[in-house]
Amino acid sequence: MTPTDTPHGPLVDAHAQLAEAIEHLGADDGTHRLLATSRREMAVSVPLRRDDGTTAVYEGFRVQHNFSRGPAKGGLRYSTHVDFDEVRALAMWMTWKCALVNLPYGGAKGGVAIEPLDHSTAELERVTRRYTSEILPIIGPEIDIPAPDIGTDEQTMAWIMDTYSASVGHTVPGVVTGKPISLGGSLGRATATSRGVAHIALKAMALRGIDPEGATAAVQGFGKVGRGAARFLADAGVRVQAVSDVGGAVWAEQGLDIQRLGDHVDQTGSVDGFEGGGPVGGAEQIDPASIVTLDVDVLVPAAVESVITVDNAERVQAKIIVEGANGPTTAGADAILADSDVLIVPDILANAGGVIVSYFEWAQANQAYQWTEREVKDRLEERLTAAWHDVVEYAEAHSMSYRQAATALAVRRVIEAHELRGLYP
Ligand code: NAD
C-alpha cells in the first residue's frame, strides 16, 4: 500500500483491532507498522474468453499478510465486492485466526471481482485457471495455500490444484485445501467451519446459561457456513427462526425446517419464497435487513462483512453473536455493543473450524495418509475448545471483550515468532 492510500471498508476495522492489541501488549511502533502492512501483495488482471466469443477482464488479488509462523493460508473469494482493501483485511484476520488456534501458518487471502452466478461452469474454470497461472509464482504447499470462500467451492480448488500441478509437472495435493475427497480432500472439511460455529455457539450459550433446547437463533447467509450452522444448531434443539441470503429472508416462530429450506434453495437458488411446511408449520417472508436485529438468543452472521454497523448496533436484540462470517461487526458497532450485555464471539475464533480442518487436510497431503472422519472431528473440537478457553480466560483476566482478547492473544503469538526469527538482514 502506498502511504497516500486511505484504507477503507473492513481494513479500517482490522487496523483498529490491531492498534488496540498493540497498545494492550505495549509493542513498539515498528512492530505495529510491520503487522499493519501485508508482507506481499499481487494484483492481476484476469482476462476471460466468454462462451459467446467476447472477452471480459476481471481484477484479481492475492495478499499474503504474514509468514512469521509458517506458510500463508487463506481462502479465495469470487464476488463483485472484492477489492484490494477487503482482501488485505481478510488476509490480516487469517494471520490472527491461524495464530489463535495454534496452526503453523501465516495469513493470506485472494479474490476475483466476478459474480460467479453470471458465468457458466466452463467460464468459471477458465477464470480460475487463468487467475491461478497469474499468481502461480507466489503459491505452493510451503508458500501459500488457498481454500474456498464466498463464491468458490471444492471444484474451484480442484482446478487450482490441476493448474498448479500441470505447471510443476507432478500432482501437488497440498497446494490447496477444501478439495474434493477423491482428490485428497479431508473427511469433515466441507462442514468444518459450520460445525465449529455451532460448537462455539453452544459453548457461548452454556456460558450464558441458555439451554439450547428451545433457544432461538437467526442465521444470515445460507451458503457453506450458514447452511451447516443452521443445521447443526437445529440438530442441537435450537429453533432457527430466521434465515436470510442475498435473495431474501424467511421466518417461522416455531423454527424453520432446515432440511426443507435446503431443498428449496437447491431448487430455486435462494431462501426467498420458502413457505415452510412440515411439523413446524408455515414460514413468512421478512425484510432481509431485519435479520440482525431480531429478538433471538443467538445471531449468526454468516454472509459478508460489515453488516452490524453503527446504524443498527443499538437495535441488536440477540444475547449472543457468533461471527460465522469474517468481519461482520464494524469497529464502530463493536464500541456500541461493548456497553451492552451482548456477548460477541469474534470471527477469528468462531469460524476457525474451517482453517483447522484445512490444516488437517494439508497435513494428510504431506503424510499421504487419510485420517478417519472421527479423528478429524475429535481433533477439530479439541483445538477449538482449547482456543475458546484461552480466549475466555484472557478476557476475564484483562477485563476485555472476547474480540480484544482473541486478537491480543494472536498478535502476541505472531510477535513472539517474529522476534525469535529476527529481521533479515
Ligand atoms: P458462500 O458463497 O458459500 O455463501 C454465502 C452466503 O451469503 C450465500 O447464501 C449468499 O446468498 C449470502 N449472502 C451474500 N451476500 C449477502 C447479503 N448481503 N445478505 C445476506 N446474505 C448474503 O460463502 P461461505 O463460504 O459460506 O462464506 C460466508 C462467510 O464465512 C464469509 O465471510 C467467509 O469469509 C466466511 N468463512 C468461510 C469459511 C469457509 O470454510 N467457507 C471459513 C471461514 C470463514
Side-chain angles (χ1 to χ4, degrees):
M1 199 186 322
T2 65
T4 51
D5 279 342
T6 309
H8 71 275
L11 189 56
V12 176
D13 301 319
H15 277 170
Q17 292 155 7
L18 172 64
E20 244 185 342
I22 291 286
E23 194 185 336
H24 163 74
L25 295 168
D28 61 67
D29 243 23
T31 304
H32 186 181
R33 233 172 286 165
L34 194 119
L35 295 179
T37 314
S38 318
R39 177 75 181 270
R40 192 188 277 156
E41 301 185 331
M42 196 171 196
V44 296
S45 108
V46 187
L48 166 70
R49 185 173 26 80
R50 297 210 61 172
D51 294 341
D52 65 6
T54 59
T55 301
V57 181
Y58 300 106
E59 282 182 298
F61 308 95
R62 188 76 192 168
V63 172
Q64 295 161 346
H65 171 254
N66 192 278
F67 296 110
S68 292
R69 291 172 49 89
K73 185 88 192 77
L76 169 64
R77 178 173 290 194
Y78 286 178
S79 156
T80 49
H81 298 289
V82 161
D83 65 24
F84 229 147
D85 275 1
E86 181 186 62
V87 180
R88 285 176 175 128
L90 291 163
M92 187 185 292
W93 285 327
M94 281 308 296
T95 301
W96 312 146
K97 192 183 302 181
C98 293
L100 183 66
V101 292
N102 267 313
L103 303 181
Y105 289 139
K109 203 80 179 191
V112 178
I114 185 174
E115 172 49 67
L117 296 176
D118 293 345
H119 292 275
S120 67
T121 304
E123 287 181 342
L124 291 174
E125 177 174 356
R126 289 198 288 279
V127 161
T128 302
R129 290 188 184 278
R130 182 60 187 249
Y131 169 75
T132 306
S133 70
E134 294 291 342
I135 64 161
L136 206 97
I138 62 163
I139 60 168
E142 283 153 3
I143 307 170
D144 176 2
I145 306 122
D149 192 79
I150 293 180
T152 59
D153 57 18
E154 60 175 32
Q155 176 61 75
T156 323
M157 297 305 116
W159 291 326
I160 296 176
M161 174 186 148
D162 185 68
T163 308
Y164 183 89
S165 300
S167 93
V168 297
H170 58 97
T171 298
V172 187
V175 66
V176 284
T177 59
K179 296 180 290 292
I181 304 284
S182 54
L183 291 181
S186 177
L187 296 168
R189 171 62 184 91
T191 53
T193 309
S194 52
R195 184 181 295 281
V197 167
H199 181 74
I200 290 291
L202 293 173
K203 291 222 166 292
M205 288 161 83
L207 190 82
R208 281 287 152 104
I210 299 171
D211 183 355
E213 201 62 51
T216 56
V219 179
Q220 182 184 49
F222 201 64
K224 295 183 289 298
V225 180
R227 185 171 176 160
R231 179 164 67 83
F232 288 123
L233 286 173
D235 288 350
V238 176
R239 280 189 288 144
V240 181
Q241 289 185 315
V243 169
S244 72
D245 67 10
V246 75
V250 287
W251 180 88
E253 170 72 37
Q254 288 311 310
L256 296 157
D257 183 329
I258 302 302
Q259 180 63 45
R260 277 174 182 257
L261 180 60
D263 294 343
H264 173 86
V265 170
D266 290 341
Q267 282 157 20
T268 67
S270 170
V271 301
D272 191 40
F274 178 64
E275 289 176 351
V280 288
E284 290 172 29
Q285 313 299 306
I286 56 166
D287 172 12
S290 71
I291 196 143
V292 295
T293 55
L294 288 178
D295 184 7
V296 285
D297 293 309
V298 181
L299 170 65
V300 181
V304 290
E305 50 275 2
S306 309
V307 293
I308 302 168
T309 66
V310 290
D311 297 327
N312 59 20
E314 270 166 6
R315 286 180 283 122
V316 167
Q317 298 185 71
K319 298 184 182 70
I320 300 169
I321 298 175
V322 182
E323 295 186 335
N326 288 307
T329 313
T330 64
D334 243 351
I336 294 172
L337 290 165
D339 291 333
S340 73
D341 286 336
V342 182
L343 171 62
I344 303 180
V345 187
D347 44 11
I348 60 172
L349 173 62
N351 69 34
V355 74
I356 291 173
V357 178
S358 272
Y359 166 61
F360 296 163
E361 182 175 328
W362 180 77
Q364 290 170 80
N366 293 344
Q367 294 173 323
Y369 182 79
Q370 193 176 48
W371 304 358
T372 64
E373 192 161 5
R374 180 81 289 159
E375 275 176 291
V376 170
K377 284 182 190 162
D378 288 351
R379 292 182 193 193
L380 165 63
E381 277 194 14
E382 202 180 300
R383 271 184 191 263
L384 264 185
T385 304
W388 164 262
H389 288 304
D390 283 353
V391 170
V392 172
E393 276 165 28
Y394 199 90
E396 277 167 14
H398 297 274
S399 304
M400 46 172 49
S401 73
Y402 285 11
R403 189 187 318 283
Q404 289 164 329
T407 311
L409 273 167
V411 171
R412 192 177 71 184
R413 288 177 189 162
V414 176
I415 292 176
E416 190 186 334
H418 167 66
E419 285 176 350
L420 284 166
R421 289 177 66 157
L423 210 53
Y424 173 84

